[in-house]
Amino acid sequence: MSCQNKMLLPFFGWEVTYDDDSPRVELEESQEPKDRGVYTMYHGTSQANARLIIAKGFQQSSGGMLGNGVYVSRDKNKADRYPLKSPPSDRVVLQLRVRVGRVKRIDKDNHPMQYTWSTQGYDTAWVPPNCGMAAVPSGLEEDCVFDPKRVSVVGIGKAPDTILTELKQLVANSLRNPGSATSHLGGAVVVCSLCKRKTQQGSPHIKQPCWGCGQNICALMSKHVCPARASETE
């Protein structure tokens, strides 16, 4: 068949772009979190506190640079510095799922809402990286979430080898337990094997064979190429 008589199509199927909290796209530290977004963040703590947080959930810290709340960061390197006075051998970085709600940007010293944002309708305060605040000499991104129920442990970002397996098992057990602290955001987070998007435990995505090629597909897949149909154009 000559090139002049050959029809070229990129694919048979579909392609979409999601603007929600797809697990394939993570916000960079310098990007401002959107209101009502759900993001992967990190929290640095001690081994003993890591066990307590996984079992019982977070509690508000008091007296921080942004007032009361749970202090987290999208920068794992930031979380890895904490607790500041603990040796590296005792530090654990928890991977979190955070519903930020309404976000207030705090980007300078003595900001008029630095300590009062939570009383004025905001759920999270965000300090962007390299904003020059004296309280953040590292220049790394930081967030403060007022309500601990908005923060859920979903994994272990970093831990000493001597405790890593234990903590991973504690998180896995907690996610499987509907009444646990880490599952209060609506159940364990599961990723669909076909579309690679998040779903909730007990609510799997609908999967069915493609009518053209017979390949098993999920309706939430961002793209499906049907080789059986595409070959008909050759």
Side-chain angles (χ1 to χ4, degrees):
M1 180 181 294
S2 67
C3 293
Q4 289 81 1
N5 296 327
K6 185 175 181 179
M7 180 184 296
L8 297 178
L9 294 176
F11 61 83
F12 275 88
W14 67 87
E15 183 172 10
V16 297
T17 300
Y18 291 103
D19 59 0
D20 61 2
D21 61 314
S22 169
R24 297 186 302 277
V25 179
E26 293 190 8
L27 214 61
E28 296 181 358
E29 289 78 19
S30 60
Q31 292 179 275
E32 185 167 1
K34 296 180 180 180
D35 287 350
R36 298 180 298 280
V38 182
Y39 301 103
T40 296
M41 298 192 188
Y42 302 93
H43 177 83
T45 188
S46 66
Q47 293 186 22
N49 284 340
R51 293 187 180 97
L52 290 175
I53 292 171
I54 293 170
K56 298 182 179 182
F58 280 95
Q59 295 183 354
Q60 283 186 338
S61 297
S62 60
M65 61 171 286
L66 297 169
N68 294 347
V70 179
Y71 284 79
V72 297
S73 178
R74 280 180 275 124
D75 190 333
K76 189 188 293 187
N77 293 326
K78 169 83 172 185
D80 193 29
R81 294 167 171 254
Y82 291 85
L84 292 175
K85 296 182 180 181
S86 295
S89 59
D90 188 45
R91 294 176 183 170
V92 173
V93 177
L94 300 175
Q95 182 179 337
L96 315 171
R97 180 173 179 245
V98 181
R99 294 185 298 117
V100 296
R102 192 177 179 210
V103 180
K104 178 61 182 178
R105 179 188 177 114
I106 306 292
D107 57 4
K108 62 181 179 180
D109 291 317
N110 302 315
H111 190 287
M113 293 179 62
Q114 183 169 344
Y115 301 104
T116 61
W117 52 270
S118 63
T119 66
Q120 300 187 48
Y122 293 95
D123 303 295
T124 298
W126 175 59
V127 177
N130 303 313
C131 65
M133 291 184 69
V136 193
S138 67
L140 299 177
E141 186 265 358
E142 187 166 348
D143 307 79
C144 182
V145 184
F146 184 75
D147 185 355
K149 292 182 180 180
R150 290 183 170 273
V151 185
S152 178
V153 180
V154 296
I156 304 300
K158 185 178 180 180
D161 292 339
T162 55
I163 195 177
L164 180 60
T165 301
E166 175 196 344
L167 293 180
K168 285 184 175 181
Q169 188 60 54
L170 288 175
V171 172
N173 292 342
S174 192
L175 289 173
R176 284 194 293 266
N177 179 8
S180 69
T182 59
S183 63
H184 61 69
L185 292 184
V189 177
V190 179
V191 176
C192 174
S193 61
L194 296 178
C195 71
K196 307 302 181 185
R197 291 175 55 79
K198 295 174 183 176
T199 182
Q200 297 296 330
Q201 191 175 49
S203 301
H205 291 174
I206 298 175
K207 303 173 185 178
Q208 60 187 24
C210 168
W211 58 267
C213 64
Q215 179 180 337
N216 202 23
I217 60 174
C218 172
L220 295 181
M221 290 169 62
S222 61
K223 181 177 180 179
H224 170 61
V225 178
C226 182
R229 296 289 296 175
S231 63
E232 294 180 7
T233 64
E234 299 180 357

